[in-house]
Amino acid sequence: MSKNTSDQTNFIQKIIDNDNASGKWDTRVHTRFPPEPNGYLHIGHAKSICLNFGLAEKNNGKCNLRFDDTNPVKEEEEFVQSIIEDVKWLGFDWEDRLFYASDYFNQMYEYAVQLIRDGRAFVCDQTADEIKDCRGTLTESGQESPYRNRSVDENLDLFQRMKDGEFNNGVKTLRARIDMSHSNLNMRDPVIYRILHAPHHRTGDTWCIYPMYDWAHGLEDSIERITHSICTLEFEDHRPLYDWYLDQLGVYHPQQIEFARLNLNFTVVSKRKLKQLVDENHVDGWDDPRMPTLSGLRRRGYTPESIRNFAEDVGITKRDSVIDVVRLENSLREELNKKAPRVLGVLNPLKVVITNYSDEKTEMLEAVNNPEDPQAGTRELPFSKELYIEQADFMEDPPKKYFRLGPGREVRLRYAYFVTCTHVIKDESGNVIEIHCTYDPETRGGNSPDGRKVKGTLHWVSVPHAIEAEVRLYDRLFLKEYPENGDSFVDALNPDSCKIHTNAKLEPCLANPENITYQFERMGYFKKDEKYSTNEKNVFIRSVSLRDSWARLMKQGANQQGV
Ligand code: ATP
Ligand code: MG
């Protein structure tokens, strides 16, 4: 993966370099991450967090965490707490700079009064629909509100009374007095304040008028003396409005810079849509391991490093594009391949009896903890007469290219012995329930002294030593590459995105697993899930498979939907 190359390509860093050279901000770099606490953070936010905090770090600057909590109806304390936890988890530190837009409500109100005094804002009695109908189009001018020419005194009086709670929701607004024929629709006398009798999670019942996002956002950046106000492309058309507000007020004026938001295929990154998945119980909460939320990815086994590396790898651009979700998965694979201890675990057990092995004997065999990391050392693996192997590793009538076990065939058991299948036992319906093998004592450790070769190496677990577990294999939450193309993204959900193996058998070192991700050899990377585990049973979740199995499927044309 290309690391740190985005330093050269990150156009925002270039802007900062130029600003530093020209002395624009006295070499100060002050950014912020401004989430609205109306949902949990997702992978798209991670890109913005890494960018804002990363630029501050690289340039000896500062980055604030600021809650943009101007809409009391959708915002909750639960979301505030989850956002704080997630940004910390990603590894970033806002020090003592945790701010809330709601702390500036007084100041914003005063600024609005100033605009009214200057004849730049008016109280309007049009309804929301009337305002919309009078807005005009890209080719047609809008119509001025009949309330546009109210006197300053009347406006001051009405705005005060709006604040004092005299009017019902929607009856009046405060609007900027700009230009109803402006080519940019955002400049056509936009609403600054609306009446909303709703308690706020921080200010309670203090306010019944709330600032609109466009009014609030630029002011928040100004109040915090942000230098580089970084946002996503959809706000490019709003920049002239932010500029207008700040210039009219004559206050500190940060520079807004837009970049392309992160889009991932097979994924939805919109809080509103993720909330719908939660509210309609399509998933098991915001932190469901299939969710692209940071809390979901964390449970899935993603590490802060893998997400930060991914953000660095995809880089920053000015043009919208869709990133292949495989790059996110690969970022985790790459890290886990280096770090994850290897263990043996059987998901769908089939019993094997080694007929020529002693009943009483248990041998401790040496197993390598991580071939990528010699420091990781070795561990002891118990071997005995009765073992479990994976059901899929045995076929009674195997095709030619099947190199695993079948009647009369010989394979290697990882770290143990060569075994040959001699006998198959079935139940009344003809299902294979047990197989008998002989082992070759000369092949201890998995090597044959006579140079005999076997093509298959199977993982296994000793029956009397096995640890019971439940294992959950997650697949992509959406079957369609672009779930949002179509009537409803909900229709694109993958009905088989969670497969549960209730009868998995794991090697004994997993009796008390650490809070890390393991590689179950041949099966993928797995982590114990604290939420689903109980005192009786550990539940493991697969973080990622060893390789990208979807790439193969896509090549075969098995997935034509939504492409
Ligand atoms: P959503 O569309 O999911 O509701 P949002 O932009 O409304 O996201 P905010 O809480 O306002 O959510 O986002 C906080 C910050 O994260 C903003 O600066 C926003 O630009 C950024 N952000 C949100 N989504 C993405 C994304 N997909 N890629 C990059 N940055 C994003
Ligand atoms: Mg937003």
Side-chain angles (χ1 to χ4, degrees):
M1 201 184 298
S2 57
K3 297 237 171 69
N4 296 322
T5 50
S6 56
D7 260 7
Q8 284 98 53
T9 55
N10 182 337
F11 71 94
I12 303 180
Q13 182 61 50
K14 281 185 193 145
I15 293 174
I16 291 177
D17 291 342
N18 288 339
D19 289 347
N20 285 344
S22 73
K24 182 171 176 188
W25 305 105
D26 290 335
T27 70
R28 213 162 54 81
V29 173
H30 202 148
T31 57
R32 83 289 176 259
F33 173 64
E36 186 184 350
N38 59 352
Y40 281 59
L41 296 181
H42 53 60
I43 183 73
H45 294 116
K47 176 169 173 177
S48 175
I49 295 168
C50 293
L51 176 62
N52 279 294
F53 280 94
L55 284 171
E57 253 168 38
K58 274 179 212 149
N59 294 282
N60 282 321
K62 292 178 176 155
C63 182
N64 299 352
L65 175 59
R66 179 209 310 145
F67 288 101
D68 210 334
D69 56 349
T70 54
N71 181 0
V73 189
K74 293 195 171 156
E75 294 158 7
E76 286 174 32
E77 190 56 29
E78 177 196 347
F79 298 141
V80 169
Q81 291 313 322
S82 73
I83 290 169
I84 287 177
E85 190 187 344
D86 287 348
V87 180
K88 256 190 212 156
W89 176 73
L90 268 184
F92 296 108
D93 185 4
W94 52 89
E95 297 171 326
D96 57 352
R97 294 179 310 280
L98 173 62
F99 299 123
Y100 293 85
S102 52
D103 289 345
Y104 313 142
F105 279 172
N106 268 318
Q107 174 81 74
M108 290 177 192
Y109 179 81
E110 290 306 325
Y111 282 145
V113 169
Q114 185 183 330
L115 272 198
I116 297 174
R117 285 217 170 91
D118 294 342
R120 299 295 185 190
F122 65 99
V123 172
C124 183
D125 296 4
Q126 285 187 317
T127 63
D129 283 342
E130 282 167 345
I131 292 178
K132 213 163 93 203
D133 290 344
C134 292
R135 209 170 171 218
T137 63
L138 283 175
T139 50
E140 256 176 75
S141 289
Q143 293 157 29
E144 293 188 351
S145 160
Y147 307 96
R148 196 173 197 262
N149 294 317
R150 278 176 162 151
S151 70
V152 167
D153 285 344
E154 188 183 1
N155 282 321
L156 286 173
D157 174 58
L158 286 172
F159 189 45
Q160 173 75 45
R161 285 158 60 192
M162 280 169 66
K163 176 182 184 242
D164 291 344
E166 195 174 307
F167 309 113
N168 289 335
N169 289 355
V171 169
K172 288 185 185 343
T173 57
L174 183 73
R175 294 175 68 181
R177 201 165 179 275
I178 309 179
D179 180 359
M180 286 307 288
S181 55
H182 202 287
S183 57
N184 182 336
L185 270 69
N186 293 313
M187 301 295 275
R188 295 186 183 171
D189 294 4
V191 174
I192 301 180
Y193 270 93
R194 58 184 171 150
I195 300 172
L196 196 60
H197 292 269
H200 184 277
H201 74 115
R202 282 177 60 85
T203 58
D205 292 323
T206 308
W207 295 90
C208 63
I209 55 171
Y210 289 95
M212 300 302 288
Y213 182 86
D214 280 348
W215 171 247
H217 199 80
L219 296 181
E220 294 158 21
D221 285 341
S222 171
I223 292 167
E224 291 175 18
R225 302 186 72 77
I226 298 305
T227 55
H228 302 85
S229 165
I230 299 167
C231 62
T232 39
L233 283 179
E234 65 269 26
F235 293 103
E236 200 162 16
D237 288 346
H238 297 242
R239 175 153 37 93
L241 178 57
Y242 302 161
D243 288 345
W244 189 89
Y245 287 145
L246 296 171
D247 291 344
Q248 293 302 319
L249 294 168
V251 293
Y252 175 93
H253 195 147
Q255 177 182 1
Q256 174 169 310
I257 304 166
E258 303 88 11
F259 72 102
R261 57 193 294 127
L262 173 73
N263 300 304
L264 280 179
N265 62 359
F266 296 103
T267 312
V268 162
V269 275
S270 147
K271 272 184 288 188
R272 186 178 58 77
K273 288 177 182 164
L274 296 176
K275 186 167 190 308
Q276 189 181 337
L277 292 178
V278 174
D279 291 346
E280 294 177 2
N281 293 314
H282 298 294
V283 293
D284 193 11
W286 285 96
D287 66 349
D288 184 298
R290 291 164 294 183
M291 288 280 270
T293 52
L294 294 184
S295 50
L297 292 167
R298 177 162 65 235
R299 267 183 81 191
R300 184 72 174 257
Y302 275 82
T303 58
E305 294 75 28
S306 61
I307 291 175
R308 291 204 307 259
N309 287 341
F310 168 72
E312 182 89 10
D313 178 49
V314 298
I316 305 298
T317 62
K318 266 279 188 195
R319 231 176 335 128
D320 272 317
S321 64
V322 181
I323 300 292
D324 195 336
V325 68
V326 172
R327 288 171 73 176
L328 176 63
E329 294 164 358
N330 281 345
S331 172
L332 180 61
R333 283 192 185 100
E334 194 184 356
E335 185 188 334
L336 293 177
N337 181 45
K338 286 184 219 131
K339 286 191 190 161
R342 273 55 168 174
V343 292
L344 303 187
V346 173
L347 306 195
N348 291 313
L350 172 64
K351 196 168 163 189
V352 175
V353 178
I354 312 287
T355 49
N356 58 342
Y357 199 83
S358 155
D359 283 347
E360 283 91 54
K361 197 167 155 188
T362 296
E363 257 179 286
M364 297 310 277
L365 301 169
E366 190 181 60
V368 175
N369 285 333
N370 185 351
E372 301 285 323
D373 176 13
Q375 306 282 320
T378 58
R379 68 188 184 285
E380 291 197 319
L381 199 56
F383 182 89
S384 66
K385 186 182 179 76
E386 294 193 342
L387 312 170
Y388 294 114
I389 63 166
E390 211 66 66
Q391 282 171 21
D393 283 337
F394 175 82
M395 276 180 95
E396 203 182 358
D397 192 12
K400 242 191 189 157
K401 292 226 157 159
Y402 184 87
F403 299 123
R404 294 172 258 172
L405 208 51
R409 294 193 179 206
E410 185 172 50
V411 296
R412 174 190 295 108
L413 295 180
R414 183 78 158 146
Y415 302 122
Y417 293 100
F418 285 15
V419 295
T420 304
C421 175
T422 52
H423 186 62
V424 181
I425 297 172
K426 297 182 188 174
D427 64 12
E428 289 124 39
S429 343
N431 301 314
V432 177
I433 51 168
E434 187 176 305
I435 58 177
H436 289 180
C437 292
T438 53
Y439 86 115
D440 176 356
E442 299 299 312
T443 57
R444 193 175 197 271
N447 301 309
S448 89
D450 60 9
R452 192 164 87 243
K453 290 218 161 44
V454 287
K455 281 203 168 141
T457 300
L458 311 187
H459 60 279
W460 54 274
V461 170
S462 160
V463 172
H465 304 93
I467 306 291
E468 307 274 331
E470 176 180 311
V471 170
R472 296 186 176 215
L473 301 190
Y474 290 109
D475 200 347
R476 292 188 182 155
L477 190 53
F478 294 98
L479 280 178
K480 284 189 186 169
E481 181 163 11
Y482 304 108
E484 281 146 308
N485 292 0
D487 286 345
S488 165
F489 70 101
V490 171
D491 297 339
L493 281 167
N494 177 2
D496 293 320
S497 58
C498 175
K499 292 208 175 76
I500 301 181
H501 299 263
T502 53
N503 191 26
K505 312 286 184 185
L506 311 179
E507 69 164 274
C509 79
L510 288 170
N512 295 303
E514 290 178 61
N515 184 26
I516 54 168
T517 304
Y518 296 87
Q519 186 193 104
F520 290 9
E521 293 202 26
R522 300 174 69 220
M523 306 311 282
Y525 294 99
F526 294 81
K527 184 168 187 278
K528 179 185 164 186
D529 185 67
E530 294 301 337
K531 216 161 162 177
Y532 290 140
S533 293
T534 62
N535 285 339
E536 281 74 51
K537 205 175 229 184
N538 283 334
V539 176
F540 283 81
I541 281 178
R542 183 161 74 183
S543 308
V544 273
S545 53
L546 292 179
R547 274 170 296 277
D548 171 26
S549 53
W550 276 66
R552 190 168 34 90
L553 281 179
M554 298 270 283
K555 253 187 221 146
Q556 290 168 354
N559 187 289
Q560 296 293 336
Q561 304 149 67
V563 182

